Amino acid sequence: MASLIIQEIKQLKSSQKNRVLIIFWTMALLALIINYAQSYYEYSGGNAIDVQDIQVQKEMVLKEIDGFDWVSESEREEMKKGTAGRHDADAEVFCAIQEHDDRKLLSAVHSYWKSEEAEEKAYGYDTAHDRSEQVRVEATEAFRDYMYGYYSQLEIAAGEFWHYDRMVGFNFLYHAMEDAMPIACIVVALLAVVDGFAGEKESGSIKAKLLLPVSKGKLLAARIVGGTLYNAAALFLPLLLLFLLVGGIQGFGSKDYLVLEDCAGIKTAEAIDGKLDNFDIYSYTITYSKDFELAGKYCVGISQFLVGQDFEDKEGITPVPNGRLVFSSIWKFLLRASLYQVLVILFSVSVGNFLSIFANRRGIATAAGLIVALVFCAVPSRGSGMFLISPGTYKSGVGILGGTAGVTALHAVSFLLASLLVLWAAMVVIQRRRDTVC
Amino acid sequence: MKILEVEHVTKSFRKKKVIDGISFSVGEGKVVGFVGPNGAGKTTTLKLVTNILIPDSGSIHIAGFNILKEREKALANVAGVIENPALYMELSGYDNLRFIQRAYGKSKSDMEQVIEMIGLGHAMRQKTGRYSLGMKQRLGLGMALLADPKFLILDEPTNGLDASGIIELRALICRKAKEGTTVLLSSHILSEVDRIADEVVFIKDGKIVEESAMPPLRKKYLVKAGDAKGVLGQLASIRDAEAVLVNDTTVEFRVGAGDFAKAMRLVCQEEYQVQDIQQEGTQLEHVYQDIFREDA
């Protein structure tokens, strides 16, 4: 069995196609580094452009309002005042970010919120509603969105502050594991193996294995194990080398990342406001390195602000009640994420080999693999946990990023079971159509 | 003791029957030729025997083990080159051999011996994709030999080999046979089969038409001698030889490979004034022509 596994790895290693895949993957990681480097550069000094954009946008909207001939002159003036106020507040947010002034940022976001309210009032949006009810609903929604993280209104209001991460070793590793690996584990691993049987059938080399005194089940198992080991190495080694490279040049950063733990929405919301309705929020993890500790504090402070508590009454910014602001070791995250990703690779390799059993030509198998890989990557699954094959699940915040070991384990076991199911199906095919692998 | 027993085996591809209820057996320690025209079903039969293809019906036993039910035990006795050498073109010759060496648990010295035997020591680090056809054939043969099987199956092993390669292969097969290895040799080069094989199985249109029906194959020779009658008298003393006087100076005789040396000793004496000895066709060719007259 060991000799068969070694042979599979050697074959994959010597394949021209797999070399191309590894180069492609390495280039993707380099692109990620460049992206973060660029983002950091823009964050550090390029915000003036954003402020200018806001001013341009403001002028455009004001011109549009001038054309609203169905409202009175006084109403138009009110609307223009409201719109101008909101845009100015927006610009203030960006300036605060640029100046790295946390108190100014909070104040700017506060102003933004108030100006938005004033704008809505000028447009008459609030007349049909009870104002306090509207604020409550909006605050609830904003908080919920915030708690989900990436899609929050706050994020937009704060000029996507959260994306701009300093490019140090551990930040690169974290983001590569979060952004690039989920796609690569499916696409690279699947394409690396999908023409395995088909290629050997085409060249006739499969006869060397079929003549060995081992069962066809063992041949399949060796292919799966060899494929998984090879792809795990092919995907993780470039990541590790680039991590060392980035760390060597930019420094490795902190080994800790910020976590807001046990922050179940209901508990937090009730503790802060005491009036909010229950809404369903899972535990949330803020995932920024220690270098961006401030980011976490902003999150917490703004959350309090959004649910109606006046932050100006507070001395500084405090963690959310019932939630714990802690630093967690990046190693813990990496260990869990790696385990999870290896299982995703196992699954992809199993699916790839399953497809390969049916094809007699390398090209057909590769085309089938591409289609399946695209389907896997395209399946929307945010938070559902139903489409385990999609990287979307991985990114949804429920799995690895969700923070609970139990959920991660559940997903990992699901991938393992799914892989076994595919293998079982492959064995059935081999047994029923035994000439298929010849 | 039979190393291979094939009984009533059939195989169809897309409803076309390519193997039609064949039965034959191969005795242990024999070199058996497997002969038939193109498309007769030779390679398909060999694939069925080695479980590369699965028969629709019938049974195949290797060394007493059913190939379907006891695949691993049966295949532990077999190695070979079927259709073309099963090589991994992106790997070097060394890596191809190393795979077999590991899979069969052989030592590195076994591998070195095989490398020497196939004469590819200089090309071991090259990718096999760059090998010539003859080199691929040699490597494929080396991989089969490295497994050191009881039963060696060779499908058109001389394909792509140059003259010296063919001579070496022939010597190799004879040596393996002497060491007790059973060889099933499929070839369309009848003279090769004729020289090496103890028995021959003929296949035509997916059916076995003859199996070892002929006596041990004997080659036909023409001897030109001053005393042709004297030569005839000497050859008559060999029990299985068959000799006739063609004219005053020519004797035609047939003799098995085992008796050829003895015949030469008796004939090549000064008193008979032997001028020339020529091999003229083989009995196998005559049998083949009889069986496959339509194809011929």
Side-chain angles (χ1 to χ4, degrees), chain A residues 1-11 209 212 214 218-219 221-223 225-227 229, chain B residues 98-105:
Chain A
M1 185 71 176
S3 63
L4 288 172
I5 293 170
I6 291 168
Q7 177 67 9
E8 295 301 338
I9 293 171
K10 275 192 171 181
Q11 278 174 239
K209 284 180 190 154
L212 296 176
V214 292
K218 274 186 186 170
L219 291 177
R223 194 172 273 278
V225 175
L229 291 176
Chain B
R98 188 101 164 89
F99 165 50
I100 300 296
Q101 180 240 321
R102 281 206 195 99
Y104 284 92

PDB file of all heavy atoms in Angstrom, chain A residues 1-11 209 212 214 218-219 221-223 225-227 229, chain B residues 98-105:
ATOM      1  N   MET A   1       0.836  -1.206   0.000  1.00  0.00           N
ATOM      2  CA  MET A   1       0.000   0.000   0.000  1.00  0.00           C
ATOM      3  C   MET A   1       0.874   1.260   0.000  1.00  0.00           C
ATOM      4  O   MET A   1       0.614   2.198  -0.753  1.00  0.00           O
ATOM      5  CB  MET A   1      -0.901  -0.038   1.246  1.00  0.00           C
ATOM      6  CG  MET A   1      -1.907   1.086   1.325  1.00  0.00           C
ATOM      7  SD  MET A   1      -3.216   0.946   0.124  1.00  0.00           S
ATOM      8  CE  MET A   1      -4.236   2.310   0.595  1.00  0.00           C
ATOM      9  N   ALA A   2       1.921   1.239   0.829  1.00  0.00           N
ATOM     10  CA  ALA A   2       2.810   2.409   0.907  1.00  0.00           C
ATOM     11  C   ALA A   2       3.466   2.669  -0.446  1.00  0.00           C
ATOM     12  O   ALA A   2       3.579   3.822  -0.880  1.00  0.00           O
ATOM     13  CB  ALA A   2       3.873   2.179   1.973  1.00  0.00           C
ATOM     14  N   SER A   3       3.856   1.583  -1.123  1.00  0.00           N
ATOM     15  CA  SER A   3       4.507   1.768  -2.427  1.00  0.00           C
ATOM     16  C   SER A   3       3.539   2.372  -3.433  1.00  0.00           C
ATOM     17  O   SER A   3       3.930   3.175  -4.287  1.00  0.00           O
ATOM     18  CB  SER A   3       5.041   0.426  -2.939  1.00  0.00           C
ATOM     19  OG  SER A   3       3.980  -0.471  -3.141  1.00  0.00           O
ATOM     20  N   LEU A   4       2.270   1.998  -3.315  1.00  0.00           N
ATOM     21  CA  LEU A   4       1.267   2.550  -4.233  1.00  0.00           C
ATOM     22  C   LEU A   4       1.060   4.043  -3.963  1.00  0.00           C
ATOM     23  O   LEU A   4       0.935   4.847  -4.896  1.00  0.00           O
ATOM     24  CB  LEU A   4      -0.071   1.813  -4.067  1.00  0.00           C
ATOM     25  CG  LEU A   4      -0.131   0.383  -4.591  1.00  0.00           C
ATOM     26  CD1 LEU A   4      -1.434  -0.277  -4.198  1.00  0.00           C
ATOM     27  CD2 LEU A   4       0.010   0.364  -6.102  1.00  0.00           C
ATOM     28  N   ILE A   5       1.038   4.402  -2.690  1.00  0.00           N
ATOM     29  CA  ILE A   5       0.846   5.813  -2.325  1.00  0.00           C
ATOM     30  C   ILE A   5       2.036   6.639  -2.826  1.00  0.00           C
ATOM     31  O   ILE A   5       1.862   7.714  -3.427  1.00  0.00           O
ATOM     32  CB  ILE A   5       0.670   5.960  -0.797  1.00  0.00           C
ATOM     33  CG1 ILE A   5      -0.644   5.300  -0.369  1.00  0.00           C
ATOM     34  CG2 ILE A   5       0.687   7.429  -0.378  1.00  0.00           C
ATOM     35  CD1 ILE A   5      -0.821   5.174   1.122  1.00  0.00           C
ATOM     36  N   ILE A   6       3.241   6.102  -2.605  1.00  0.00           N
ATOM     37  CA  ILE A   6       4.441   6.820  -3.068  1.00  0.00           C
ATOM     38  C   ILE A   6       4.387   7.005  -4.590  1.00  0.00           C
ATOM     39  O   ILE A   6       4.700   8.067  -5.118  1.00  0.00           O
ATOM     40  CB  ILE A   6       5.721   6.040  -2.658  1.00  0.00           C
ATOM     41  CG1 ILE A   6       5.885   6.091  -1.145  1.00  0.00           C
ATOM     42  CG2 ILE A   6       6.959   6.605  -3.343  1.00  0.00           C
ATOM     43  CD1 ILE A   6       6.926   5.142  -0.598  1.00  0.00           C
ATOM     44  N   GLN A   7       3.941   5.948  -5.271  1.00  0.00           N
ATOM     45  CA  GLN A   7       3.847   6.033  -6.726  1.00  0.00           C
ATOM     46  C   GLN A   7       2.870   7.119  -7.151  1.00  0.00           C
ATOM     47  O   GLN A   7       3.131   7.890  -8.076  1.00  0.00           O
ATOM     48  CB  GLN A   7       3.419   4.669  -7.289  1.00  0.00           C
ATOM     49  CG  GLN A   7       3.223   4.630  -8.791  1.00  0.00           C
ATOM     50  CD  GLN A   7       4.507   4.822  -9.567  1.00  0.00           C
ATOM     51  OE1 GLN A   7       5.593   4.831  -9.004  1.00  0.00           O
ATOM     52  NE2 GLN A   7       4.391   5.003 -10.875  1.00  0.00           N
ATOM     53  N   GLU A   8       1.723   7.196  -6.461  1.00  0.00           N
ATOM     54  CA  GLU A   8       0.729   8.227  -6.806  1.00  0.00           C
ATOM     55  C   GLU A   8       1.334   9.615  -6.631  1.00  0.00           C
ATOM     56  O   GLU A   8       1.146  10.498  -7.475  1.00  0.00           O
ATOM     57  CB  GLU A   8      -0.514   8.097  -5.911  1.00  0.00           C
ATOM     58  CG  GLU A   8      -1.312   6.819  -6.092  1.00  0.00           C
ATOM     59  CD  GLU A   8      -1.831   6.626  -7.506  1.00  0.00           C
ATOM     60  OE1 GLU A   8      -1.948   7.613  -8.241  1.00  0.00           O
ATOM     61  OE2 GLU A   8      -2.081   5.479  -7.884  1.00  0.00           O
ATOM     62  N   ILE A   9       2.043   9.798  -5.531  1.00  0.00           N
ATOM     63  CA  ILE A   9       2.648  11.110  -5.272  1.00  0.00           C
ATOM     64  C   ILE A   9       3.690  11.430  -6.344  1.00  0.00           C
ATOM     65  O   ILE A   9       3.730  12.547  -6.865  1.00  0.00           O
ATOM     66  CB  ILE A   9       3.270  11.141  -3.855  1.00  0.00           C
ATOM     67  CG1 ILE A   9       2.156  11.051  -2.806  1.00  0.00           C
ATOM     68  CG2 ILE A   9       4.103  12.397  -3.639  1.00  0.00           C
ATOM     69  CD1 ILE A   9       2.628  10.868  -1.390  1.00  0.00           C
ATOM     70  N   LYS A  10       4.488  10.431  -6.702  1.00  0.00           N
ATOM     71  CA  LYS A  10       5.512  10.661  -7.733  1.00  0.00           C
ATOM     72  C   LYS A  10       4.873  11.039  -9.059  1.00  0.00           C
ATOM     73  O   LYS A  10       5.348  11.928  -9.766  1.00  0.00           O
ATOM     74  CB  LYS A  10       6.346   9.394  -7.924  1.00  0.00           C
ATOM     75  CG  LYS A  10       7.489   9.274  -6.948  1.00  0.00           C
ATOM     76  CD  LYS A  10       8.425   8.176  -7.389  1.00  0.00           C
ATOM     77  CE  LYS A  10       9.683   8.174  -6.558  1.00  0.00           C
ATOM     78  NZ  LYS A  10      10.616   7.136  -6.979  1.00  0.00           N
ATOM     79  N   GLN A  11       3.804  10.326  -9.394  1.00  0.00           N
ATOM     80  CA  GLN A  11       3.133  10.612 -10.662  1.00  0.00           C
ATOM     81  C   GLN A  11       2.586  12.031 -10.673  1.00  0.00           C
ATOM     82  O   GLN A  11       2.734  12.763 -11.650  1.00  0.00           O
ATOM     83  CB  GLN A  11       1.978   9.625 -10.880  1.00  0.00           C
ATOM     84  CG  GLN A  11       2.419   8.303 -11.441  1.00  0.00           C
ATOM     85  CD  GLN A  11       1.284   7.318 -11.513  1.00  0.00           C
ATOM     86  OE1 GLN A  11       1.339   6.259 -10.930  1.00  0.00           O
ATOM     87  NE2 GLN A  11       0.228   7.666 -12.219  1.00  0.00           N
ATOM     88  N   LYS A 209      -0.452  -1.137 -12.797  1.00  0.00           N
ATOM     89  CA  LYS A 209      -1.059  -1.240 -11.459  1.00  0.00           C
ATOM     90  C   LYS A 209      -2.062  -2.385 -11.400  1.00  0.00           C
ATOM     91  O   LYS A 209      -2.157  -3.077 -10.384  1.00  0.00           O
ATOM     92  CB  LYS A 209      -1.744   0.073 -11.109  1.00  0.00           C
ATOM     93  CG  LYS A 209      -0.754   1.138 -10.712  1.00  0.00           C
ATOM     94  CD  LYS A 209      -1.437   2.417 -10.363  1.00  0.00           C
ATOM     95  CE  LYS A 209      -0.373   3.494 -10.226  1.00  0.00           C
ATOM     96  NZ  LYS A 209      -0.887   4.819 -10.489  1.00  0.00           N
ATOM     97  N   LEU A 212      -0.686  -5.696 -10.555  1.00  0.00           N
ATOM     98  CA  LEU A 212      -0.142  -5.934  -9.214  1.00  0.00           C
ATOM     99  C   LEU A 212      -1.094  -6.810  -8.396  1.00  0.00           C
ATOM    100  O   LEU A 212      -2.313  -6.712  -8.562  1.00  0.00           O
ATOM    101  CB  LEU A 212       0.052  -4.605  -8.473  1.00  0.00           C
ATOM    102  CG  LEU A 212       1.074  -3.628  -9.057  1.00  0.00           C
ATOM    103  CD1 LEU A 212       1.065  -2.337  -8.262  1.00  0.00           C
ATOM    104  CD2 LEU A 212       2.465  -4.234  -9.039  1.00  0.00           C
ATOM    105  N   VAL A 214      -2.798  -6.682  -5.903  1.00  0.00           N
ATOM    106  CA  VAL A 214      -3.548  -5.933  -4.877  1.00  0.00           C
ATOM    107  C   VAL A 214      -4.961  -5.711  -5.403  1.00  0.00           C
ATOM    108  O   VAL A 214      -5.185  -5.715  -6.613  1.00  0.00           O
ATOM    109  CB  VAL A 214      -2.913  -4.568  -4.541  1.00  0.00           C
ATOM    110  CG1 VAL A 214      -1.596  -4.723  -3.850  1.00  0.00           C
ATOM    111  CG2 VAL A 214      -2.749  -3.724  -5.794  1.00  0.00           C
ATOM    112  N   LYS A 218      -7.799  -1.202  -3.048  1.00  0.00           N
ATOM    113  CA  LYS A 218      -6.543  -0.653  -2.521  1.00  0.00           C
ATOM    114  C   LYS A 218      -5.931   0.332  -3.513  1.00  0.00           C
ATOM    115  O   LYS A 218      -5.353   1.336  -3.114  1.00  0.00           O
ATOM    116  CB  LYS A 218      -5.549  -1.778  -2.231  1.00  0.00           C
ATOM    117  CG  LYS A 218      -5.725  -2.392  -0.854  1.00  0.00           C
ATOM    118  CD  LYS A 218      -4.626  -3.381  -0.577  1.00  0.00           C
ATOM    119  CE  LYS A 218      -4.889  -4.096   0.744  1.00  0.00           C
ATOM    120  NZ  LYS A 218      -3.980  -5.216   0.932  1.00  0.00           N
ATOM    121  N   LEU A 219      -6.062   0.007  -4.792  1.00  0.00           N
ATOM    122  CA  LEU A 219      -5.539   0.927  -5.813  1.00  0.00           C
ATOM    123  C   LEU A 219      -6.239   2.278  -5.708  1.00  0.00           C
ATOM    124  O   LEU A 219      -5.611   3.335  -5.778  1.00  0.00           O
ATOM    125  CB  LEU A 219      -5.746   0.347  -7.221  1.00  0.00           C
ATOM    126  CG  LEU A 219      -4.917  -0.870  -7.608  1.00  0.00           C
ATOM    127  CD1 LEU A 219      -5.300  -1.360  -8.991  1.00  0.00           C
ATOM    128  CD2 LEU A 219      -3.428  -0.557  -7.571  1.00  0.00           C
ATOM    129  N   ALA A 221      -7.860   3.455  -3.043  1.00  0.00           N
ATOM    130  CA  ALA A 221      -7.526   4.082  -1.754  1.00  0.00           C
ATOM    131  C   ALA A 221      -6.148   4.745  -1.818  1.00  0.00           C
ATOM    132  O   ALA A 221      -5.962   5.864  -1.330  1.00  0.00           O
ATOM    133  CB  ALA A 221      -7.554   3.028  -0.649  1.00  0.00           C
ATOM    134  N   ALA A 222      -5.197   4.067  -2.454  1.00  0.00           N
ATOM    135  CA  ALA A 222      -3.847   4.636  -2.567  1.00  0.00           C
ATOM    136  C   ALA A 222      -3.878   5.923  -3.371  1.00  0.00           C
ATOM    137  O   ALA A 222      -3.183   6.885  -3.076  1.00  0.00           O
ATOM    138  CB  ALA A 222      -2.916   3.631  -3.243  1.00  0.00           C
ATOM    139  N   ARG A 223      -4.725   5.923  -4.381  1.00  0.00           N
ATOM    140  CA  ARG A 223      -4.837   7.116  -5.222  1.00  0.00           C
ATOM    141  C   ARG A 223      -5.410   8.284  -4.417  1.00  0.00           C
ATOM    142  O   ARG A 223      -4.964   9.425  -4.551  1.00  0.00           O
ATOM    143  CB  ARG A 223      -5.747   6.798  -6.411  1.00  0.00           C
ATOM    144  CG  ARG A 223      -5.687   7.805  -7.508  1.00  0.00           C
ATOM    145  CD  ARG A 223      -6.468   7.294  -8.699  1.00  0.00           C
ATOM    146  NE  ARG A 223      -5.646   6.481  -9.551  1.00  0.00           N
ATOM    147  CZ  ARG A 223      -4.822   6.985 -10.469  1.00  0.00           C
ATOM    148  NH1 ARG A 223      -4.716   8.272 -10.616  1.00  0.00           N
ATOM    149  NH2 ARG A 223      -4.106   6.205 -11.217  1.00  0.00           N
ATOM    150  N   VAL A 225      -5.383   8.638  -1.041  1.00  0.00           N
ATOM    151  CA  VAL A 225      -4.453   9.052   0.017  1.00  0.00           C
ATOM    152  C   VAL A 225      -3.272   9.814  -0.590  1.00  0.00           C
ATOM    153  O   VAL A 225      -2.892  10.889  -0.119  1.00  0.00           O
ATOM    154  CB  VAL A 225      -3.946   7.819   0.823  1.00  0.00           C
ATOM    155  CG1 VAL A 225      -2.885   8.236   1.827  1.00  0.00           C
ATOM    156  CG2 VAL A 225      -5.110   7.152   1.542  1.00  0.00           C
ATOM    157  N   GLY A 226      -2.709   9.257  -1.674  1.00  0.00           N
ATOM    158  CA  GLY A 226      -1.583   9.910  -2.337  1.00  0.00           C
ATOM    159  C   GLY A 226      -1.970  11.289  -2.845  1.00  0.00           C
ATOM    160  O   GLY A 226      -1.228  12.257  -2.674  1.00  0.00           O
ATOM    161  N   GLY A 227      -3.144  11.372  -3.452  1.00  0.00           N
ATOM    162  CA  GLY A 227      -3.628  12.652  -3.980  1.00  0.00           C
ATOM    163  C   GLY A 227      -3.822  13.675  -2.877  1.00  0.00           C
ATOM    164  O   GLY A 227      -3.487  14.850  -3.032  1.00  0.00           O
ATOM    165  N   LEU A 229      -2.324  13.741   0.131  1.00  0.00           N
ATOM    166  CA  LEU A 229      -1.021  14.144   0.690  1.00  0.00           C
ATOM    167  C   LEU A 229      -0.296  15.101  -0.261  1.00  0.00           C
ATOM    168  O   LEU A 229       0.233  16.132   0.155  1.00  0.00           O
ATOM    169  CB  LEU A 229      -0.144  12.906   0.945  1.00  0.00           C
ATOM    170  CG  LEU A 229      -0.606  11.978   2.066  1.00  0.00           C
ATOM    171  CD1 LEU A 229       0.292  10.752   2.137  1.00  0.00           C
ATOM    172  CD2 LEU A 229      -0.607  12.709   3.401  1.00  0.00           C
TER     173      LEU A 229
ATOM    174  N   ARG B  98      11.568   1.259  -9.937  1.00  0.00           N
ATOM    175  CA  ARG B  98      11.524   1.380  -8.471  1.00  0.00           C
ATOM    176  C   ARG B  98      10.107   1.115  -7.943  1.00  0.00           C
ATOM    177  O   ARG B  98       9.933   0.535  -6.882  1.00  0.00           O
ATOM    178  CB  ARG B  98      11.974   2.790  -8.080  1.00  0.00           C
ATOM    179  CG  ARG B  98      12.157   3.008  -6.605  1.00  0.00           C
ATOM    180  CD  ARG B  98      13.623   2.949  -6.224  1.00  0.00           C
ATOM    181  NE  ARG B  98      13.818   3.521  -4.882  1.00  0.00           N
ATOM    182  CZ  ARG B  98      13.730   2.807  -3.780  1.00  0.00           C
ATOM    183  NH1 ARG B  98      13.499   1.510  -3.842  1.00  0.00           N
ATOM    184  NH2 ARG B  98      13.907   3.370  -2.598  1.00  0.00           N
ATOM    185  N   PHE B  99       9.137   1.542  -8.712  1.00  0.00           N
ATOM    186  CA  PHE B  99       7.741   1.299  -8.336  1.00  0.00           C
ATOM    187  C   PHE B  99       7.470  -0.203  -8.229  1.00  0.00           C
ATOM    188  O   PHE B  99       6.913  -0.689  -7.233  1.00  0.00           O
ATOM    189  CB  PHE B  99       6.825   1.961  -9.379  1.00  0.00           C
ATOM    190  CG  PHE B  99       5.393   1.515  -9.331  1.00  0.00           C
ATOM    191  CD1 PHE B  99       4.681   1.508  -8.134  1.00  0.00           C
ATOM    192  CD2 PHE B  99       4.735   1.108 -10.484  1.00  0.00           C
ATOM    193  CE1 PHE B  99       3.355   1.096  -8.091  1.00  0.00           C
ATOM    194  CE2 PHE B  99       3.416   0.692 -10.447  1.00  0.00           C
ATOM    195  CZ  PHE B  99       2.731   0.681  -9.251  1.00  0.00           C
ATOM    196  N   ILE B 100       7.908  -0.931  -9.249  1.00  0.00           N
ATOM    197  CA  ILE B 100       7.694  -2.378  -9.243  1.00  0.00           C
ATOM    198  C   ILE B 100       8.507  -3.022  -8.119  1.00  0.00           C
ATOM    199  O   ILE B 100       8.032  -3.926  -7.420  1.00  0.00           O
ATOM    200  CB  ILE B 100       8.080  -2.983 -10.613  1.00  0.00           C
ATOM    201  CG1 ILE B 100       7.215  -2.371 -11.723  1.00  0.00           C
ATOM    202  CG2 ILE B 100       7.966  -4.501 -10.606  1.00  0.00           C
ATOM    203  CD1 ILE B 100       5.741  -2.675 -11.625  1.00  0.00           C
ATOM    204  N   GLN B 101       9.727  -2.535  -7.944  1.00  0.00           N
ATOM    205  CA  GLN B 101      10.596  -3.098  -6.899  1.00  0.00           C
ATOM    206  C   GLN B 101       9.937  -2.956  -5.523  1.00  0.00           C
ATOM    207  O   GLN B 101       9.906  -3.909  -4.735  1.00  0.00           O
ATOM    208  CB  GLN B 101      11.945  -2.364  -6.917  1.00  0.00           C
ATOM    209  CG  GLN B 101      12.940  -2.847  -5.879  1.00  0.00           C
ATOM    210  CD  GLN B 101      13.348  -1.748  -4.912  1.00  0.00           C
ATOM    211  OE1 GLN B 101      13.518  -0.591  -5.312  1.00  0.00           O
ATOM    212  NE2 GLN B 101      13.489  -2.090  -3.663  1.00  0.00           N
ATOM    213  N   ARG B 102       9.374  -1.761  -5.276  1.00  0.00           N
ATOM    214  CA  ARG B 102       8.704  -1.544  -3.985  1.00  0.00           C
ATOM    215  C   ARG B 102       7.431  -2.373  -3.893  1.00  0.00           C
ATOM    216  O   ARG B 102       7.168  -3.002  -2.867  1.00  0.00           O
ATOM    217  CB  ARG B 102       8.326  -0.061  -3.837  1.00  0.00           C
ATOM    218  CG  ARG B 102       9.471   0.829  -3.444  1.00  0.00           C
ATOM    219  CD  ARG B 102       8.907   2.045  -2.714  1.00  0.00           C
ATOM    220  NE  ARG B 102       9.895   3.096  -2.609  1.00  0.00           N
ATOM    221  CZ  ARG B 102       9.958   4.154  -3.410  1.00  0.00           C
ATOM    222  NH1 ARG B 102       9.086   4.300  -4.378  1.00  0.00           N
ATOM    223  NH2 ARG B 102      10.874   5.073  -3.243  1.00  0.00           N
ATOM    224  N   ALA B 103       6.657  -2.364  -4.975  1.00  0.00           N
ATOM    225  CA  ALA B 103       5.356  -3.052  -4.942  1.00  0.00           C
ATOM    226  C   ALA B 103       5.514  -4.545  -4.689  1.00  0.00           C
ATOM    227  O   ALA B 103       4.679  -5.152  -4.016  1.00  0.00           O
ATOM    228  CB  ALA B 103       4.614  -2.807  -6.251  1.00  0.00           C
ATOM    229  N   TYR B 104       6.584  -5.139  -5.237  1.00  0.00           N
ATOM    230  CA  TYR B 104       6.779  -6.577  -5.053  1.00  0.00           C
ATOM    231  C   TYR B 104       7.754  -6.892  -3.922  1.00  0.00           C
ATOM    232  O   TYR B 104       8.109  -8.056  -3.711  1.00  0.00           O
ATOM    233  CB  TYR B 104       7.271  -7.219  -6.361  1.00  0.00           C
ATOM    234  CG  TYR B 104       6.172  -7.386  -7.389  1.00  0.00           C
ATOM    235  CD1 TYR B 104       5.915  -6.407  -8.329  1.00  0.00           C
ATOM    236  CD2 TYR B 104       5.361  -8.521  -7.403  1.00  0.00           C
ATOM    237  CE1 TYR B 104       4.907  -6.544  -9.276  1.00  0.00           C
ATOM    238  CE2 TYR B 104       4.346  -8.678  -8.328  1.00  0.00           C
ATOM    239  CZ  TYR B 104       4.130  -7.687  -9.265  1.00  0.00           C
ATOM    240  OH  TYR B 104       3.121  -7.834 -10.188  1.00  0.00           O
ATOM    241  N   GLY B 105       8.192  -5.867  -3.247  1.00  0.00           N
ATOM    242  CA  GLY B 105       9.089  -6.074  -2.108  1.00  0.00           C
ATOM    243  C   GLY B 105      10.423  -6.674  -2.494  1.00  0.00           C
ATOM    244  O   GLY B 105      10.996  -7.478  -1.760  1.00  0.00           O
TER     245      GLY B 105
END
